[in-house]
Every structure is written in C-alpha cells, then in structure tokens.
Coordinates of all heavy atoms in Angstrom, one line a residue:
A1 N 127.8 81.3 139.5 CA 126.7 80.7 138.7 C 127.1 80.5 137.2 O 128.1 81.0 136.8 CB 125.5 81.7 138.7
K2 N 126.4 79.6 136.6 CA 126.7 79.4 135.2 C 126.2 80.6 134.3 O 125.2 81.2 134.6 CB 125.9 78.1 134.7 CG 126.1 77.7 133.3 CD 125.3 76.4 133.0 CE 125.5 76.0 131.5 NZ 124.7 74.8 131.2
P3 N 127.0 81.0 133.3 CA 126.7 82.1 132.5 C 125.3 81.9 131.8 O 124.9 80.8 131.4 CB 127.8 82.1 131.4 CG 128.9 81.5 132.1 CD 128.4 80.4 132.9
S4 N 124.5 83.0 131.8 CA 123.2 82.9 131.2 C 123.3 82.7 129.7 O 124.2 83.2 129.0 CB 122.4 84.2 131.5 OG 122.3 84.3 132.9
R5 N 122.2 82.1 129.1 CA 122.2 82.0 127.7 C 121.8 83.3 127.1 O 121.1 84.1 127.7 CB 121.1 80.9 127.3 CG 119.7 81.2 127.7 CD 118.8 80.1 127.3 NE 117.4 80.3 127.8 CZ 116.5 81.1 127.2 NH1 116.9 81.7 126.1 NH2 115.3 81.3 127.7
P6 N 122.1 83.6 125.8 CA 121.8 84.9 125.2 C 120.3 85.1 125.1 O 119.6 84.2 124.7 CB 122.4 84.8 123.8 CG 123.5 83.7 123.9 CD 123.0 82.7 124.9
R7 N 119.8 86.2 125.6 CA 118.4 86.6 125.4 C 118.3 88.1 125.7 O 119.2 88.7 126.2 CB 117.5 85.8 126.4 CG 117.9 86.0 127.9 CD 117.2 85.0 128.8 NE 117.6 85.2 130.2 CZ 117.0 86.0 131.1 NH1 115.9 86.7 130.7 NH2 117.4 86.1 132.3
L8 N 117.2 88.6 125.4 CA 116.9 90.0 125.6 C 116.0 90.1 126.8 O 115.0 89.4 126.9 CB 116.3 90.7 124.4 CG 117.2 90.8 123.1 CD1 116.4 91.4 122.0 CD2 118.5 91.5 123.5
L9 N 116.2 91.1 127.7 CA 115.5 91.3 128.9 C 114.2 92.1 128.7 O 113.4 92.1 129.6 CB 116.4 91.9 130.0 CG 117.6 91.1 130.3 CD1 118.5 91.8 131.4 CD2 117.3 89.7 130.8
A10 N 114.1 92.8 127.6 CA 113.0 93.7 127.4 C 112.9 94.1 126.0 O 113.8 94.0 125.2 CB 113.1 95.0 128.3
A11 N 111.7 94.4 125.5 CA 111.4 94.9 124.2 C 111.4 96.5 124.3 O 110.8 97.0 125.2 CB 110.1 94.4 123.6
V12 N 112.0 97.1 123.3 CA 112.2 98.6 123.3 C 111.2 99.2 122.4 O 111.0 98.8 121.3 CB 113.6 99.0 122.9 CG1 113.8 100.5 122.9 CG2 114.7 98.3 123.8
E13 N 110.6 100.3 122.9 CA 109.7 101.1 122.0 C 110.7 102.2 121.4 O 111.2 103.1 122.1 CB 108.7 101.8 122.9 CG 107.7 102.6 122.1 CD 106.8 101.8 121.2 OE1 106.5 100.6 121.5 OE2 106.4 102.3 120.1
P14 N 110.9 102.1 120.1 CA 111.9 103.0 119.4 C 111.6 104.5 119.8 O 110.5 105.0 119.7 CB 111.7 102.7 118.0 CG 111.2 101.4 117.9 CD 110.3 101.2 119.1
G15 N 112.7 105.2 120.0 CA 112.6 106.6 120.3 C 112.5 107.5 119.1 O 111.8 108.5 119.0
C16 N 113.3 107.1 118.0 CA 113.3 107.9 116.8 C 112.8 107.0 115.6 O 113.2 105.8 115.5 CB 114.7 108.3 116.4 SG 115.4 109.5 117.5
M17 N 111.9 107.5 114.9 CA 111.4 106.8 113.7 C 112.2 107.3 112.4 O 112.6 108.4 112.4 CB 109.9 107.1 113.5 CG 109.0 106.6 114.6 SD 109.3 104.8 115.0 CE 108.6 104.1 113.6
G18 N 112.3 106.4 111.5 CA 113.0 106.6 110.3 C 112.2 107.2 109.2 O 111.1 107.8 109.4
D19 N 112.8 107.1 108.0 CA 112.2 107.7 106.8 C 111.2 106.7 106.2 O 111.6 105.6 105.7 CB 113.3 108.1 105.8 CG 112.7 108.8 104.5 OD1 111.5 108.7 104.3 OD2 113.6 109.3 103.8
R20 N 109.9 107.0 106.2 CA 108.9 106.1 105.7 C 109.1 105.7 104.2 O 108.9 104.6 103.8 CB 107.5 106.6 105.9 CG 106.4 105.6 105.6 CD 105.0 106.1 106.0 NE 104.0 105.1 105.8 CZ 103.4 104.9 104.6 NH1 103.7 105.6 103.6 NH2 102.5 103.9 104.5
S21 N 109.5 106.7 103.4 CA 109.7 106.5 102.0 C 110.8 105.4 101.7 O 110.7 104.6 100.9 CB 110.0 107.8 101.2 OG 111.1 108.4 101.7
A22 N 111.9 105.5 102.5 CA 112.9 104.6 102.4 C 112.5 103.2 102.9 O 112.8 102.1 102.3 CB 114.2 105.0 103.2
G23 N 111.6 103.2 103.9 CA 111.1 101.9 104.4 C 110.1 101.3 103.4 O 110.2 100.0 103.2
M24 N 109.3 102.1 102.7 CA 108.4 101.5 101.7 C 109.3 101.0 100.5 O 108.9 99.9 99.9 CB 107.5 102.6 101.2 CG 106.5 103.0 102.3 SD 105.4 101.7 102.9 CE 104.5 101.3 101.5
A25 N 110.4 101.6 100.2 CA 111.2 101.1 99.2 C 111.8 99.7 99.5 O 111.9 98.8 98.7 CB 112.4 102.1 98.9
L26 N 112.2 99.6 100.8 CA 112.7 98.3 101.3 C 111.6 97.2 101.1 O 111.9 96.1 100.7 CB 113.1 98.3 102.7 CG 114.4 99.1 103.0 CD1 114.5 99.4 104.5 CD2 115.6 98.2 102.6
R27 N 110.4 97.5 101.4 CA 109.3 96.6 101.3 C 109.1 96.2 99.8 O 108.6 95.1 99.5 CB 108.0 97.1 101.9 CG 108.0 97.3 103.4 CD 106.7 97.8 103.9 NE 105.6 96.9 103.7 CZ 104.3 97.1 104.1 NH1 104.0 98.2 104.7 NH2 103.4 96.2 103.8
A28 N 109.4 97.2 98.9 CA 109.3 96.9 97.5 C 110.5 96.2 96.9 O 110.5 95.9 95.7 CB 109.1 98.2 96.8
G29 N 111.5 96.0 97.7 CA 112.7 95.2 97.3 C 114.0 95.9 97.0 O 114.9 95.3 96.4
H30 N 114.1 97.2 97.4 CA 115.4 97.8 97.2 C 115.7 98.9 98.3 O 114.7 99.4 98.9 CB 115.4 98.5 95.8 CG 114.2 99.4 95.6 ND1 113.1 99.0 94.8 CD2 114.0 100.7 96.0 CE1 112.3 100.0 94.8 NE2 112.7 101.1 95.5
F31 N 116.9 99.1 98.5 CA 117.4 100.2 99.4 C 117.2 101.5 98.6 O 117.5 101.6 97.4 CB 118.9 100.0 99.7 CG 119.1 98.9 100.6 CD1 119.6 97.7 100.1 CD2 118.9 99.0 102.0 CE1 119.9 96.6 101.0 CE2 119.1 97.9 102.8 CZ 119.6 96.7 102.3
L32 N 116.9 102.6 99.3 CA 116.7 103.9 98.8 C 117.6 104.8 99.6 O 117.3 105.1 100.8 CB 115.3 104.4 98.8 CG 115.0 105.8 98.2 CD1 115.4 105.9 96.8 CD2 113.6 106.2 98.4
V33 N 118.7 105.3 99.0 CA 119.7 106.1 99.8 C 120.0 107.4 99.0 O 120.5 107.3 97.9 CB 121.0 105.3 100.0 CG1 122.0 106.2 100.8 CG2 120.8 104.0 100.7
Y34 N 119.5 108.5 99.5 CA 119.6 109.8 98.9 C 119.2 109.7 97.4 O 120.0 110.2 96.6 CB 121.0 110.3 99.1 CG 121.4 110.6 100.5 CD1 122.7 110.2 101.0 CD2 120.5 111.1 101.4 CE1 123.0 110.5 102.3 CE2 120.8 111.4 102.7 CZ 122.1 111.0 103.2 OH 122.4 111.3 104.5
G35 N 118.1 109.1 97.1 CA 117.6 109.1 95.8 C 118.1 108.0 94.9 O 117.6 107.8 93.8
V36 N 119.0 107.2 95.4 CA 119.6 106.1 94.6 C 119.0 104.8 95.0 O 119.0 104.4 96.2 CB 121.1 106.0 94.7 CG1 121.7 104.8 93.9 CG2 121.7 107.3 94.1
K37 N 118.4 104.0 94.1 CA 117.9 102.7 94.4 C 118.9 101.5 94.2 O 119.6 101.6 93.2 CB 116.6 102.4 93.6 CG 115.4 103.3 93.9 CD 114.2 103.0 93.1 CE 113.0 103.9 93.4 NZ 111.9 103.6 92.6
A38 N 118.9 100.6 95.1 CA 119.8 99.4 95.0 C 119.0 98.2 95.3 O 118.6 98.1 96.5 CB 121.0 99.6 95.9
P39 N 118.8 97.3 94.4 CA 118.0 96.1 94.7 C 118.6 95.2 95.9 O 119.8 95.0 95.9 CB 118.0 95.3 93.4 CG 118.3 96.3 92.3 CD 119.2 97.3 93.0
I40 N 117.8 94.8 96.8 CA 118.3 94.0 97.9 C 118.8 92.7 97.4 O 119.9 92.2 97.9 CB 117.1 93.7 98.9 CG1 116.6 95.0 99.5 CG2 117.6 92.8 100.0 CD1 115.4 94.9 100.3
A41 N 118.2 92.1 96.4 CA 118.6 90.8 95.9 C 120.0 90.9 95.3 O 120.7 89.8 95.2 CB 117.6 90.3 94.9
Q42 N 120.4 92.0 94.8 CA 121.7 92.2 94.1 C 122.8 92.8 95.1 O 123.9 92.9 94.6 CB 121.6 93.0 92.9 CG 120.6 92.5 91.8 CD 120.4 93.4 90.7 OE1 121.3 94.3 90.4 NE2 119.4 93.2 89.9
M43 N 122.5 93.0 96.3 CA 123.4 93.7 97.2 C 124.4 92.6 97.8 O 124.0 91.6 98.2 CB 122.7 94.4 98.3 CG 123.6 95.0 99.4 SD 124.5 96.4 98.7 CE 123.2 97.5 98.2
D44 N 125.7 93.0 97.7 CA 126.7 92.1 98.3 C 127.0 92.7 99.7 O 127.5 93.9 99.8 CB 128.0 92.2 97.4 CG 129.0 91.2 97.9 OD1 129.0 90.8 99.1 OD2 129.9 90.8 97.1
F45 N 126.7 92.0 100.7 CA 126.8 92.5 102.1 C 128.1 92.3 102.7 O 128.3 92.6 103.9 CB 125.7 91.9 103.0 CG 124.3 92.2 102.6 CD1 123.5 91.4 101.7 CD2 123.7 93.4 103.1 CE1 122.2 91.8 101.4 CE2 122.4 93.8 102.7 CZ 121.7 93.0 101.9
S46 N 129.1 91.7 102.0 CA 130.4 91.4 102.6 C 131.1 92.7 102.9 O 131.0 93.7 102.1 CB 131.2 90.5 101.7 OG 131.5 91.1 100.5
S47 N 132.0 92.7 103.9 CA 132.7 93.9 104.3 C 133.8 94.3 103.3 O 134.3 95.4 103.3 CB 133.3 93.7 105.7 OG 133.9 94.9 106.2

C-alpha cells in the first residue's frame, strides 16, 4: 500500500499537569524557569 500521510490517530488526555504559575507567565509573554523570566519575543530558539 501507499504510505499514509502524516496524521494523529487519537487525542491524548494528559497524564501529568504542569506548573500553572509558569503557564500563566507564558500567557503573559515570558518563560518562567526557577524564578527567572525570559521574554518569549527575545528568545533565540536556535540550537
């Protein structure tokens, strides 16, 4: 058969929830890592 196109077969209900305060910081525009804030807009994501 022809290889299938990329897709997901199911949606997962997460088993572990993260840190809500870090998540709220992301919504406000910055990463919060062990008390240090880093603006998302200024983050260089290159390896």
Side-chain angles (χ1 to χ4, degrees):
K2 183 179 179 181
S4 300
R5 61 181 178 83
R7 60 190 177 91
L8 295 180
L9 302 179
V12 179
E13 184 68 29
C16 292
M17 298 306 292
D19 184 346
R20 187 175 186 276
S21 60
M24 295 301 294
L26 286 165
R27 293 181 63 179
H30 53 259
F31 291 100
L32 179 63
V33 180
Y34 296 139
V36 176
K37 293 181 179 180
I40 297 172
Q42 298 177 20
M43 179 63 63
D44 188 338
F45 294 95
S46 64
S47 186

